[in-house]
Amino acid sequence: MPITTPPAAPDLSGSALVRAPERPEPGYWAGCPGVRYEPDRDRFLLTYRERRPRDTDPTADGRDRGWRCAVAESRDGVEFHDLWSVERADLGSPSMERFALLRRDGGYLLHLSYVDPADRRWRIDALRADTPEAFDLATRAPVLTAAGTGTEGVKDPYLLEHDGGVRLFATVSRSRAFTAGERARAHATADIHTTGLTVQPTALAASPDGLRFTAPPGRAAEVLDVGPPGAWDAYESRITAVLPDGSGGWLALYDGSADAAGNYEERCGLATSTDLRHWHRLTPDGPWLDVRYADVVAARGRWYLYYEQTRPDGAHELRVAVLDEFAGLRP
């Protein structure tokens, strides 16, 4: 039967640390996980990001912030070692955020989410290589840009193979009419998400190969709107993972925040769909889990739930919980 009510939230008390932040201080994060499991090679592949505090000068180029992203490998799903990495300076960018990895057509696709140095708006590019160690930034190609989508930015990709092609879920900053003052502020810090000037729903694009994506521009591409005014997810609704619900439909994990003040501390909700385009919230009254950027994969007869979580010292760390059941589903 399709899921119609929120299932019991998993117990994360037995979770394990995957990556710790550089320092035990606010603004230092390790997180933005995206995970794949390869049964034929019995290995986990993880993408993650490291962040440092935002520059105190609001007119600066956001020095540090999302400064490093990596692809890492593990045999047990807990202990990872890096295969490939990139720093924001390599892209000439003020910041990077979530990456997405997909094995397809005998090779690997990597989608990069970063601030475009040309217009200071978030964008997504793609790399292709035979192995995760062989990605070459010189070969990157644009996938989705603010100008091409009719938005104020597009970021945080999640890739899903479906019907022989690839579906890309991404957070977009909805375009709207700005006053002159708002327009000046919108991208002054190279991160419109922190300004409160527009909302951040999830949009969907499709591709036959994971490289060339098409989507209607603007609001027509949005598939998970933000919640109504006053809701816990009224400012942002970012799909971070999609999995079959066991009944022919789909279950999504999504990050939500009520306003721009919660941009760095989103929490996780649930939504369901029968067609990947129309999503129904299971958690309209409050979040399901107090974590962000959750991704989940079935491996070795269990679920591996990866997520970013805030620590008591204000830093963020990347953790994994190994579960026999997740959202009422067996692996």
Side-chain angles (χ1 to χ4, degrees):
M1 294 290 292
I3 300 172
T4 57
T5 59
D11 179 6
L12 304 183
S13 61
S15 64
L17 177 67
V18 175
R19 280 287 185 277
E22 281 186 283
R23 299 183 185 178
E25 302 171 16
Y28 287 93
W29 305 348
C32 286
V35 63
R36 300 288 176 180
Y37 175 68
E38 299 182 330
D40 60 327
R41 298 176 180 176
D42 192 24
R43 71 172 179 174
F44 298 80
L45 293 174
L46 174 76
T47 58
Y48 70 93
R49 181 191 71 156
E50 293 182 279
R51 183 191 188 275
R52 292 168 177 164
R54 177 185 289 272
D55 194 287
T56 55
D57 179 357
T59 65
D61 283 335
R63 284 189 286 274
D64 289 334
R65 291 174 58 196
W67 74 277
R68 181 179 181 272
C69 289
V71 179
E73 179 189 50
S74 174
R75 293 298 172 181
D76 63 4
V78 179
E79 298 289 337
F80 284 84
H81 68 274
D82 289 351
L83 299 176
W84 181 89
S85 66
V86 57
E87 296 185 10
R88 66 173 187 84
D90 299 327
L91 296 167
S93 174
S95 188
M96 303 180 294
E97 202 141 345
R98 196 189 202 197
F99 284 16
L101 182 71
L102 184 66
R103 181 180 172 189
R104 184 174 172 83
D105 298 332
Y108 291 84
L109 292 171
L110 183 66
H111 283 203
L112 292 69
S113 174
Y114 67 100
V115 176
D116 191 331
D119 65 6
R120 302 171 72 82
R121 297 190 289 183
W122 288 97
R123 65 178 289 156
I124 297 171
D125 287 1
L127 298 174
R128 179 172 173 81
D130 292 336
T131 68
E133 297 92 339
F135 290 119
D136 181 356
L137 289 179
T139 66
R140 72 184 186 274
V143 171
L144 296 174
T145 65
T149 56
T151 68
E152 294 297 330
V154 54
K155 66 192 283 282
D156 295 333
Y158 179 82
L159 300 174
L160 176 72
E161 290 193 282
H162 180 63
D163 283 348
V166 180
R167 301 295 183 267
L168 166 60
F169 296 89
T171 311
V172 295
S173 295
R174 182 182 293 164
S175 183
R176 69 169 183 82
F178 290 137
T179 67
E182 288 173 336
R183 173 59 63 186
R185 286 198 298 121
H187 303 289
T189 62
D191 190 4
I192 194 173
H193 288 247
T194 65
T195 66
L197 290 173
T198 187
V199 294
Q200 328 292 329
T202 293
L204 177 64
S207 170
D209 58 8
L211 293 170
R212 297 170 290 114
F213 281 85
T214 58
R219 296 195 66 171
E222 295 176 11
V223 296
L224 181 63
D225 199 354
V226 295
W232 73 274
D233 53 3
Y235 184 66
E236 181 172 27
S237 292
R238 171 178 59 211
I239 288 179
T240 63
V242 177
L243 63 154
D245 68 2
S247 301
W250 304 90
L251 179 69
L253 307 179
Y254 75 92
D255 286 346
S257 65
D259 50 37
N263 180 68
Y264 294 154
E265 302 293 343
E266 300 99 337
R267 294 171 292 171
C268 177
L270 294 178
T272 61
S273 176
T274 59
D275 61 3
L276 297 176
R277 285 201 54 83
H278 303 89
W279 291 89
H280 168 71
R281 281 172 164 74
L282 294 178
T283 51
D285 300 325
W288 191 58
L289 283 174
D290 191 19
V291 305
R292 69 198 295 254
Y293 282 113
D295 196 2
V296 62
V297 64
R300 303 171 181 171
R302 306 186 79 185
W303 293 107
Y304 287 72
L305 174 66
Y306 294 81
Y307 56 91
E308 180 180 320
Q309 188 167 50
T310 304
R311 309 185 333 174
D313 57 25
H316 292 191
E317 63 188 15
L318 199 167
R319 302 189 67 84
V320 60
V322 184
L323 309 165
D324 293 323
E325 185 177 282
F326 177 77
L329 303 174
R330 303 291 297 181

